[in-house]
Amino acid sequence: QVQLQESGPGLVKPSETLSLTCTVSGYSISSGYYWGWIRQPPGKGLEWIGSIYHSGSTYYNPSLKSRVTISVDTSKNQFSLKLSSVTAADTAVYYCARGAPPVATHAYYWGQGTLVTVSS
Amino acid sequence: QSALTQEASVSGTVGQKVTLSCTGNSNNIGSYAVGWYQQISHGAPKTVMFGNSLPSGIPDRFSGSKSGTTASLTISGLQPEDEADYYCSTWDYSLSAQVFGGGTKLTVL
């Protein structure tokens, strides 16, 4: 069974860069699928941030594209999110997810999520 | 405003059949499979349907369908543990983005 676990700072200052890592177990990232990030501001719905294919090609939410970088480290079986110039509007629970079979960006397996608060 | 439209709330009694809908357009639902996600008490979402396939471990009282630009999630034999928020999602090629509906709050009376 695929398992995903987010990690990273729970508090980030405004204008700084939010950095999160998703560690995958039970499946090798290099074997396939899309791997992505989704977030949920407090009391609101889900928002897709972006996805990366195991080969490294990426898709980003157009509204966040200028600030987002998603990368893969196959040696550690991890993928990461960087979101620059954060503001209070970036406060949310951040989820990592594996894409649906055979090759879809839709989330299929989800991590438990990690709350990131943007505040000075 | 979400690219996909879902009912804000739906309710049903135990044992009843309920159907949640997700309406989009030809750029998204009309062209791609739809995923459905259950979120109980603001916990992590869980995939309960992708296209018309049930992920492993999901009860077969859940079923999915699509007609044109509207997707549906049907729960036959509603159970108390089905009370949750449900989100639909698919790819939108005009936006080049994965899009979500605003979510439906399902209440089991």
Side-chain angles (χ1 to χ4, degrees):
Chain A
Q1 178 79 342
V2 179
Q3 292 186 312
L4 303 98
Q5 178 68 57
E6 305 86 352
S7 60
L11 181 64
V12 181
K13 290 183 168 55
S15 79
E16 294 190 344
T17 296
L18 179 160
S19 296
L20 295 175
T21 296
C22 183
T23 301
V24 179
S25 59
Y27 189 83
S28 173
I29 287 180
S30 60
S31 295
Y33 293 113
Y34 275 98
W35 305 87
W37 291 93
I38 299 105
R39 69 181 183 179
Q40 185 172 36
K44 296 187 179 181
L46 299 169
E47 180 183 32
W48 176 74
I49 299 171
S51 300
I52 186 166
Y53 195 51
H54 70 99
S55 60
S57 60
T58 53
Y59 290 96
Y60 297 135
N61 187 323
S63 69
L64 299 171
K65 188 173 184 176
S66 63
R67 299 194 291 131
V68 173
T69 301
I70 297 176
S71 59
V72 168
D73 186 339
T74 54
S75 67
K76 295 182 179 179
N77 218 36
Q78 296 175 333
F79 61 104
S80 299
L81 168 70
K82 291 188 186 300
L83 181 66
S84 64
S85 304
V86 297
T87 69
D90 296 309
T91 293
V93 176
Y94 285 75
Y95 297 99
C96 62
R98 197 207 80 178
V103 184
T105 54
H106 306 59
Y108 199 76
Y109 291 111
W110 296 71
Q112 66 183 33
T114 188
L115 174 63
V116 178
T117 301
V118 178
S119 175
S120 55
Chain B
Q1 188 169 349
S2 303
L4 306 179
T5 301
Q6 299 183 248
E7 302 96 340
S9 62
V10 170
S11 63
T13 57
V14 174
Q16 188 178 9
K17 181 169 80 171
V18 296
T19 297
L20 311 182
S21 69
C22 176
T23 301
N25 58 42
S26 58
N27 296 328
N28 43 61
I29 291 179
S31 299
Y32 298 94
V34 176
W36 288 91
Y37 308 102
Q38 177 192 65
Q39 186 175 39
I40 297 174
S41 298
H42 303 291
K46 179 170 66 175
T47 304
V48 294
M49 186 66 57
F50 177 66
N52 55 10
S53 296
L54 270 177
S56 175
I58 303 302
D60 61 6
R61 63 177 180 273
F62 287 86
S63 62
S65 64
K66 185 171 71 169
S67 177
T69 58
T70 298
S72 299
L73 177 71
T74 298
I75 308 173
S76 303
L78 196 61
Q79 297 298 307
E81 60 266 30
D82 298 332
E83 184 163 292
D85 293 325
Y86 289 84
Y87 294 90
C88 60
S89 179
T90 190
W91 182 257
D92 187 303
Y93 71 75
S94 67
L95 299 175
S96 291
Q98 190 75 18
V99 293
F100 283 91
T104 295
K105 182 176 182 61
L106 174 63
T107 301
V108 180
L109 301 171

